[in-house]
Amino acid sequence: MTSLDKSLLDEFESIVGASHALHEDELVASYSTDWTGRFKGSTPLVLRPGTTEEVAQILRVASDANVALVPQGGNTGLVGGSVPLRGEVVLSLLRLNVCEPVDVLAQQVSLGAGVTLAQAQNHVSPFNLAIGVDLAARDSCTIGGMIATNAGGINVVRYGPMRDQLLGVEAVTADGSSISHLEGLEKDNTGYHLPGLFAGSEGSLAVITKARLRLHPQLDERCSAMLAFKSVGDAVSATAQLRRSVPDLHAVEVIFREAMDLVSDYISTSIPVRSDGSAWLIVEAASSSDPTDQLAQAIGDLGDLVLDVAVGHDSTSRAGLWQFREKITEAIATRGTPHKLDVTLPASELAEFVSRIPEIISEVDRRATAVMFGHLGDGNVHVNVLGDDGLEPDNEVESAVLGYVAQLGGSISAEHGIGTAKKEFLHLNRSGQEIAIFRAIKSSFDPKGILSPNTLIPAEEQ
Ligand SMILES: Cc1cc2nc3c(=O)[nH]c(=O)nc-3n(C[C@H](O)[C@H](O)[C@H](O)COP(=O)(O)OP(=O)(O)OC[C@H]3O[C@@H](n4cnc5c(N)ncnc54)[C@H](O)[C@@H]3O)c2cc1C
């Protein structure tokens, strides 16, 4: 356990109450290791504030005493940003879990930062409304964490990422001052858009305590299909065609060969379409009226591009197809601790990228394997590199893969963020001038550098 002055510990504890200030090793353990098990830290204290005012008081004390903190939501982040790697205090926002009444007239809702995505979905669905972002970690990830990472997920092709859902935030900056802009006005050109700045800030600028989200009509009529392709290039071409021809396209997810074999084995279910392909798409159309005909017509128009198709009309058969996509991350975790490289490529480079990756990785680590899947509608590929026999792969695979991504004009982080895992690679996508601006923004919100000091911004060269 890292030490913290006893009087400071008492001061923090008096803000949240003894039962919400955790310091015993067994109580703080789960807050100190990330979801993948790759990033393990330690903390002298986990604080679980129940109100925005308690968050503000904690930050005032921390700022005066120069104590660094790591804000944490559901701890499902995949780049090591949510854990205390250098003995920071953990600020768990899970108790800020109030869902305010749905504003049906405006089609908006204000949610506490600690509300989980599943809770938010259940809260708005009785009003025939839906949250625009959905992802497999929905039972644990929180609204605050999703904003801080600008989470993407399976419906970006239709609604955009978390930043596009944000109409306002309430947040507390490092010195304990609160900012609140929750009116939810769709048009509000009164200067800088702070919610947009907080989206993707990974806890480095402010602690998000509440958010005002735009909602979308709930689309209960759905049709899903799994499509098998001979080559990755065919899957990319089909995606472009489907995006043009299916007005109610809701998701286009891709699973590549190793990922398909792994997940099929993990869920003990054989692949419902031809298994001799190189890539499989899971496509979903959603509407207020049955979208089966529009999807069937568009798939028919793909002609020989597709090897085989399975369609899911009702919720059971759709879930049967979707489990192949939703269970991949869990399936990978059973094989070891992967290095997760979440990247975006220009559409024209995707096929070349996927075919070259195994070779690029094996040049660095002969025994490592790449398990790839992603959100093809957004050009987003998750490259999971597993080492031999459950071990982690050689660290050099990261610079080899990310360097190749940058060379092809892609992004080294599609949706998971930079965190601690990728901050030394930020220069591959951002110029020195941009990183200098990042530092200036960080220091105007957090001049002492006490918020999430290990994420996003690389160390300055001496
Ligand atoms: C099975 C699985 C599937 C996933 N699928 C996707 C996917 O499809 N798309 C995607 O984008 N991500 C995905 N993720 C990653 C992850 O779920 C998201 O990044 C999620 O948004 C993180 O939310 P969280 O509450 O768990 O945040 P945490 O992991 O707790 O924190 C993530 C970052 O946000 C900061 N943070 C957390 N709360 C706050 C706050 N209130 N104020 C300020 N900073 C804060 C933390 O300091 C940290 O830097 C997946 C993860 C898993 C485990």
Side-chain angles (χ1 to χ4, degrees):
M1 181 176 107
T2 324
S3 66
L4 197 70
D5 188 77
K6 168 87 171 81
S7 62
L8 209 46
L9 214 139
D10 290 345
E11 202 171 347
F12 280 131
E13 193 169 298
S14 70
I15 298 169
V16 292
S19 56
H20 295 298
L22 317 177
H23 32 80
E24 287 82 9
D25 286 349
E26 61 278 16
L27 295 182
V28 303
S30 65
Y31 295 86
S32 308
T33 300
D34 82 322
W35 192 90
T36 65
R38 179 178 171 201
F39 297 98
K40 296 187 177 77
S42 63
T43 182
L45 187 61
V46 173
L47 293 169
R48 295 167 34 90
T51 62
T52 301
E53 180 47 33
E54 286 181 8
V55 173
Q57 285 179 41
I58 290 168
L59 287 176
R60 265 176 236 132
V61 172
S63 173
D64 286 348
N66 255 318
V67 171
L69 300 117
V70 173
Q72 188 182 93
N75 198 14
T76 66
L78 298 174
V79 286
S82 52
V83 286
L85 296 176
R86 299 211 179 123
E88 296 83 8
V89 168
V90 173
L91 188 60
S92 167
L93 284 314
L94 288 175
R95 289 180 62 226
L96 301 186
N97 57 2
V98 173
C99 298
E100 292 188 5
V102 175
D103 182 341
V104 179
L105 264 190
Q107 303 203 1
Q108 298 173 4
V109 69
S110 294
L111 301 167
V115 170
T116 65
L117 174 56
Q119 241 180 301
Q121 290 170 331
N122 292 335
H123 179 63
V124 304
S125 82
F127 302 90
N128 282 327
L129 291 166
I131 308 281
V133 169
D134 191 18
L135 46 101
R138 59 183 75 80
D139 290 331
S140 307
C141 68
T142 63
I143 297 300
M146 291 170 65
I147 296 168
T149 57
N150 188 27
I154 56 184
N155 301 137
V156 172
V157 70
R158 189 161 206 173
Y159 300 128
M162 203 59 187
R163 183 177 280 130
D164 293 352
Q165 319 308 317
L166 261 185
L167 287 158
V169 291
E170 176 192 85
V172 182
T173 54
D175 64 357
S177 317
S178 297
I179 301 169
S180 181
H181 206 80
L182 295 168
E183 295 77 11
L185 303 174
E186 285 283 354
K187 287 190 160 179
D188 183 14
N189 272 351
T190 50
Y192 301 125
H193 191 250
L194 296 180
L197 188 58
F198 293 152
S201 65
E202 302 185 39
S204 65
L205 300 183
V207 178
I208 297 153
T209 49
K210 200 189 279 188
R212 182 86 175 168
L213 300 188
R214 174 179 290 125
L215 300 172
H216 304 272
Q218 180 163 284
L219 303 172
D220 287 331
E221 297 292 328
R222 291 184 184 222
C223 180
S224 306
M226 183 184 280
L227 283 61
F229 295 90
K230 187 158 59 75
S231 71
V232 175
D234 286 352
V236 173
S237 302
T239 301
Q241 215 170 304
L242 292 169
R243 290 186 65 185
R244 283 195 304 272
S245 59
V246 184
D248 290 317
L249 193 63
H250 207 61
V252 185
E253 298 290 294
V254 68
I255 307 171
F256 298 110
R257 174 88 262 166
E258 292 74 11
M260 188 51 122
D261 291 340
L262 182 59
V263 73
S264 163
D265 189 39
Y266 176 68
I267 59 178
S268 307
T269 309
S270 50
I271 306 167
V273 289
R274 267 177 64 173
S275 59
D276 56 343
S278 302
W280 291 263
L281 290 184
I282 297 185
V283 180
E284 184 160 281
S287 177
S288 49
S289 57
D290 187 356
T292 304
D293 287 347
Q294 75 174 256
L295 188 60
Q297 168 80 45
I299 292 173
D301 290 347
L302 294 175
D304 292 344
L305 215 49
V306 190
L307 287 179
D308 196 9
V309 183
V311 179
H313 298 282
D314 54 68
S315 58
T316 310
S317 57
R318 285 195 301 106
L321 299 179
W322 272 99
Q323 64 177 335
F324 284 85
R325 172 62 185 84
E326 298 239 310
K327 294 289 178 186
I328 296 177
T329 306
E330 277 175 38
I332 293 170
T334 64
R335 297 295 169 96
T337 304
H339 284 206
K340 289 187 168 288
L341 304 170
D342 152 49
V343 301
T344 319
L345 278 306
S348 56
E349 306 290 354
L350 264 163
E352 171 73 6
F353 174 79
V354 171
S355 69
R356 281 271 290 133
I357 280 301
E359 188 186 329
I360 286 177
I361 288 172
S362 80
E363 278 166 12
V364 178
D365 182 340
R366 204 164 44 81
R367 292 160 174 268
T369 49
V371 182
M372 290 185 274
F373 63 98
H375 311 287
L376 204 60
D378 326 316
N380 179 185
V381 181
H382 295 314
V383 182
N384 288 260
V385 189
L386 284 163
D388 184 35
D389 211 14
L391 296 172
E392 285 188 41
D394 191 308
N395 277 332
E396 287 301 310
V397 294
E398 297 186 15
S399 63
V401 173
L402 298 180
Y404 183 49
V405 168
Q407 188 191 320
L408 296 178
S411 166
I412 63 163
S413 176
E415 56 177 13
H416 294 164
I418 294 296
T420 207
K422 291 186 186 165
K423 65 180 180 170
E424 299 314 325
F425 299 105
L426 189 59
H427 68 92
L428 290 171
N429 279 155
R430 297 294 194 163
S431 67
Q433 174 70 2
E434 283 176 297
I435 294 174
I437 292 171
F438 280 16
R439 286 204 176 94
I441 293 172
K442 160 90 177 158
S443 107
S444 69
F445 278 92
D446 177 18
K448 294 184 171 177
I450 61 165
L451 279 178
S452 275
N454 308 312
T455 57
L456 186 54
I457 297 177
E460 270 189 274
E461 283 177 20
Q462 301 300 313

